[in-house]
Amino acid sequence: MSDLSAFPITRKWPAQYPDRIQLYSLTTPNGVKASIMLEETGLPYEAHLVSFDSNDQLSPEFLSLNPNNKIPAILDPAGPGGKPLALFESGAILLYLAEKSGLLLPSDPAARYEAIQWLMFQMGGIGPMFGQVGFFHKFAGKDYEDKRPRDRYVNEARRLLAVLDQRLSGRQWVMGEEYGIADIAIFPWVRNLIGFYEAGALVSIADFPQVTRVLEAFLARPAVRRGLTIPARS
């Protein structure tokens, strides 16, 4: 049995199954990227809820694993060389789990880097921009009479959706016939934009039929449906 006692995070979130990957997360778009990936690969893991309501992400235990105080984060007791590995940043976690499992990332070097570029497209564009749309449309941004900040992000979100829609034309998934980490990175954010953020009409999501087509296929996957609910809220 693995000994994870050297990691302070396990004092706040004790590991019932210390031989499994420990996931510290919440069901946000970035959080479910990790849980969906774990469900898709079948890697054994144990999920722990990091509650923003109680500022768990600012606790010394969580900061010991991720000083950037963001979810998700993982602790793999059987990392490279058989040693425990702590990892944060959802994109890095997707890459690590793909390489650990040998799944959802092309083995051909050229295709591998093509998949990684679309992962970075989500990390650098879709995530930050869709998040700003959510802020200005659903949250505090509503209080601003000047709609230019909101419209700036709406226009950028539409531009990104157009890029994605064009990429998906004639393709089943981002990389073609093969589902992979690029889809797992991108579509939780698309779902959040038109669902939780209620911004579908604002960005005219109907203008992007390829995006909505693939989103529907993504949400139909059993592993995705499970991952969207993990970790469960008490």
Side-chain angles (χ1 to χ4, degrees):
M1 181 175 292
S2 300
D3 181 8
L4 300 179
S5 61
F7 294 88
I9 196 165
T10 62
R11 300 169 197 163
K12 186 173 178 67
W13 291 278
Q16 185 177 358
Y17 304 102
D19 291 333
R20 301 180 184 179
I21 294 170
Q22 303 296 303
L23 169 67
Y24 308 93
S25 192
L26 186 64
T27 53
T28 66
N30 280 337
V32 299
K33 283 152 63 174
S35 53
I36 290 170
M37 185 68 179
L38 286 161
E39 287 292 322
E40 291 280 13
T41 61
L43 290 167
Y45 74 102
E46 180 178 359
H48 305 278
L49 178 69
V50 179
S51 174
F52 288 180
D53 294 338
S54 54
N55 288 323
D56 281 348
Q57 76 278 17
L58 300 177
S59 66
E61 294 87 354
F62 188 79
L63 292 172
S64 71
L65 192 68
N66 183 2
N68 195 35
N69 65 271
K70 302 290 184 182
I71 58 93
I74 65 169
L75 175 57
D76 184 1
K83 297 179 181 179
L85 174 70
L87 200 60
F88 63 89
E89 283 295 329
S90 59
I93 291 170
L94 291 184
L95 284 170
Y96 174 72
L97 296 175
E99 292 183 346
K100 182 180 178 73
S101 65
L103 300 170
L104 301 173
L105 185 64
S107 57
D108 173 74
R112 181 177 184 275
Y113 281 106
E114 188 179 355
I116 291 172
Q117 83 177 351
W118 286 102
L119 170 63
M120 298 305 161
F121 171 77
Q122 183 275 305
M123 299 293 294
I126 281 182
M129 294 303 106
F130 287 13
Q132 294 289 356
V133 171
F135 173 82
F136 282 102
H137 179 60
K138 184 168 183 174
F139 299 112
K142 285 187 172 182
D143 299 332
Y144 300 160
E145 292 184 10
D146 186 348
K147 297 306 179 187
R148 286 177 296 178
R150 184 202 67 177
D151 292 344
R152 169 185 172 86
Y153 292 115
V154 168
N155 290 337
E156 180 62 5
R158 282 184 50 81
R159 188 190 71 80
L160 292 166
L161 286 166
V163 172
L164 182 59
D165 202 70
Q166 182 179 28
R167 171 67 182 182
L168 293 170
S169 180
R171 290 182 171 89
Q172 185 173 354
W173 302 103
V174 171
M175 286 297 294
E177 296 302 311
E178 297 296 325
Y179 170 82
I181 62 171
D183 306 290
I184 293 171
I186 290 169
F187 284 100
W189 276 103
V190 178
R191 171 181 178 264
N192 212 59
L193 179 70
I194 64 180
F196 180 71
Y197 289 156
E198 302 172 348
L202 185 65
V203 300
S204 302
I205 193 67
D207 292 345
F208 310 104
Q210 304 306 321
V211 173
T212 55
R213 169 184 62 83
V214 180
L215 173 63
E216 184 176 346
F218 177 74
L219 295 175
R221 294 180 67 87
V224 170
R225 292 199 298 268
R226 294 193 301 270
L228 289 170
T229 67
I230 298 169
R233 292 180 179 271
S234 58

